[in-house]
Amino acid sequence: MEIKGKEMLIYLIIFLFFICNGMKIAEENSFHKDYMDYRSTTAINGIFVVLIFFSHCTQNLTLDGPYDGIYVTMKESLLQMVVVPFLFYSGYGIMESIKTKKGYVKGIIRNRFLKVLVHFDIAVLVYLCLQMLLGRRYEIWHVVQSLIGWTSVGNSNWYIFVTLVLYIMVFAAFIIPLGKDGPVRHLLGIAGIIILAAVYLYFMKGWGVPTRFYNTILLFPLGMLYSMERDKIEKICMKNDICYMASGVIVFVIYYYAYCHARESIFWYSVWGCAFMAMILLFNMKISLKNNMLIWFGKNVFGIYIWQRVPMIILKNLRGGIYTERTYVFIFSCFIATIFITMIFNYVLKKVDSRLFKKR
């Protein structure tokens, strides 16, 4: 059943208000040196996980209000760019850990791969029970594949699959001893991940897998490269406002050209993603958006991403779908319910982690 839409613009205005709350603009010829610290990157992730919520929620809507075109245009202009910061910051964070934490790579399968997989599988089982209550059944092989994110039982899945694949790539590229640990070894490891990602991309494209499974994957090793070359980049972009503006103009030109050609090839789609992330970095160098609301959403990307479809499914099937005729109520109810479910399962997952992933 489709939902008759009203005006998404009201939600965008409210969300923009919260984004700008506590915003700080650096003074002339000065910059926010902490733009890559945990709070800054988490706040940016918080913005994009909410945009993903809007995107998934409006998949069930007929946006025919007089101002809905503004949101529709924004949504169609972003496409997979909404996941670009997650991949980039994840790559950056992992590279920072590899550089500073001894034995980090050896523990990535247990502490990253298995933990994400367990959390995800708990969610899949919940979705499976929900679908069974609604009278839907799946073949055993479909359910098995859903446990790694290859297929879905109503949940969001592809990003988790890509994340698991990337963790395996990091382990494979860095576990092999290739000389003394240091910048050269790190760059060789990143090169290995780029090669593995290119091979993955090639086969996924050849198998006709949906493009979302691979068209932004190169942003992960780009984040790792940024970790290695950050100081050099900042010396150029943060030298003064003139250099900063010149960098912005160059990035925008690349962004616009790649955007116009993104649908022609995966190469230009990847360039588009890289340029989009560069624009975010430049923006954050000058404008800080750290506030507690965005940081909370950024800390709970997994929960918001995974659980948001539960209230959407329930409300679409409750009382013959009567609630889906009330657009504002539907979106607001799904949003509040997603936050509530995320908080509950955060508590559950902490208990699970304390049993399965005790620090050795």
Side-chain angles (χ1 to χ4, degrees):
M1 177 181 294
E2 289 187 335
I3 308 167
K4 293 183 178 180
K6 296 295 183 182
E7 298 174 6
M8 273 298 296
L9 183 61
I10 186 68
Y11 286 107
L12 292 181
I13 292 173
I14 294 173
F15 186 47
L16 183 61
F17 171 78
F18 282 109
I19 290 175
C20 294
N21 182 33
M23 179 178 69
K24 295 180 180 179
I25 303 175
E27 296 179 359
E28 183 179 353
N29 289 318
S30 64
F31 303 89
H32 293 290
K33 301 291 186 179
D34 62 349
Y35 73 103
M36 287 300 291
D37 71 6
Y38 177 75
R39 286 176 60 85
S40 294
T41 58
T42 302
I44 296 297
N45 281 344
I47 294 173
F48 283 93
V49 78
V50 174
L51 290 178
I52 289 174
F53 169 83
F54 285 149
S55 178
H56 288 171
C57 205
T58 55
Q59 286 175 356
N60 307 294
L61 303 174
T62 300
L63 298 177
D64 56 1
Y67 301 105
D68 286 338
I70 296 174
Y71 171 75
V72 172
T73 299
M74 184 188 76
K75 179 180 177 180
E76 292 178 350
S77 298
L78 287 174
L79 297 178
Q80 291 300 99
M81 295 302 103
V82 291
V83 302
V84 159
F86 306 143
L87 290 166
F88 180 88
Y89 288 141
S90 180
Y92 177 88
I94 286 179
M95 193 65 243
E96 289 290 297
S97 295
I98 290 174
K99 291 191 298 184
T100 58
K101 299 178 182 178
K102 187 176 181 180
Y104 178 82
V105 174
K106 292 181 179 179
I108 199 169
I109 295 299
R110 179 179 184 272
N111 300 326
R112 288 271 194 164
F113 180 90
L114 288 178
K115 184 177 286 189
V116 169
L117 185 62
V118 169
H119 291 184
F120 178 66
D121 286 348
I122 291 173
V124 170
L125 293 176
V126 172
Y127 273 93
L128 191 60
C129 291
L130 176 60
Q131 297 289 18
M132 291 176 68
L133 289 173
L134 294 173
R136 300 189 180 98
R137 300 292 184 269
Y138 299 92
E139 295 180 356
I140 295 297
W141 183 235
H142 183 94
V143 173
V144 171
Q145 291 177 310
S146 73
L147 293 174
I148 60 170
W150 185 250
T151 59
S152 170
V153 289
N155 57 291
S156 300
N157 63 305
W158 73 267
Y159 183 79
I160 301 301
F161 178 84
V162 171
T163 298
L164 295 173
V165 169
L166 285 168
Y167 288 156
I168 294 174
M169 288 182 184
V170 171
F171 181 79
F174 281 91
I175 200 63
I176 302 173
L178 293 174
K180 187 178 179 180
D181 189 44
V184 174
R185 173 65 186 97
H186 296 157
L187 288 173
L188 286 174
I190 295 172
I193 293 174
I194 293 174
I195 293 171
L196 290 172
V199 172
Y200 166 89
L201 192 155
Y202 174 81
F203 280 105
M204 286 291 180
K205 190 173 185 295
W207 290 336
V209 175
T211 56
R212 60 182 177 273
F213 276 83
Y214 58 83
N215 58 15
T216 53
I217 194 170
L218 292 177
L219 267 297
F220 183 87
L222 179 68
M224 302 183 83
L225 276 174
Y226 194 80
S227 171
M228 298 296 297
E229 306 298 329
R230 175 182 170 184
D231 291 342
K232 296 176 183 177
I233 295 171
E234 288 180 354
K235 283 182 180 179
I236 298 173
C237 298
M238 292 185 171
K239 186 176 182 180
N240 51 51
D241 282 350
I242 294 177
C243 292
Y244 173 80
M245 292 299 295
S247 300
V249 170
I250 293 171
V251 168
F252 179 77
V253 170
I254 295 172
Y255 171 87
Y256 182 76
Y257 186 85
Y259 171 77
C260 293
H261 295 81
R263 291 169 178 80
E264 297 176 6
S265 69
I266 189 63
F267 171 79
W268 285 115
Y269 204 102
S270 298
V271 173
W272 178 30
C274 294
F276 181 79
M277 191 64 225
M279 290 174 64
I280 292 175
L281 294 174
L282 286 169
F283 177 87
N284 223 19
M285 287 177 186
K286 203 68 174 176
I287 302 175
S288 175
L289 297 177
K290 290 182 287 188
N291 69 60
N292 291 332
M293 186 202 77
L294 292 180
I295 291 172
W296 187 88
F297 281 106
K299 286 181 178 179
N300 291 278
V301 166
F302 178 87
I304 300 297
Y305 173 76
I306 290 298
W307 297 113
Q308 60 186 246
R309 293 190 187 273
V310 169
M312 295 177 196
I313 292 172
I314 293 174
L315 288 179
K316 283 177 64 178
N317 290 275
L318 193 64
R319 296 180 62 185
I322 188 173
Y323 296 105
T324 60
E325 298 177 1
R326 305 170 183 175
T327 306
Y328 291 115
V329 174
F330 179 81
I331 296 176
F332 181 76
S333 299
C334 288
F335 189 71
I336 297 301
T338 298
I339 294 173
F340 183 67
I341 296 170
T342 297
M343 294 173 68
I344 292 175
F345 275 91
N346 279 349
Y347 176 79
V348 173
L349 294 178
K350 284 182 181 179
K351 296 294 183 182
V352 171
D353 290 347
S354 67
R355 296 293 182 89
L356 298 181
F357 301 102
K358 289 183 179 178
K359 291 185 177 180
R360 295 176 179 176

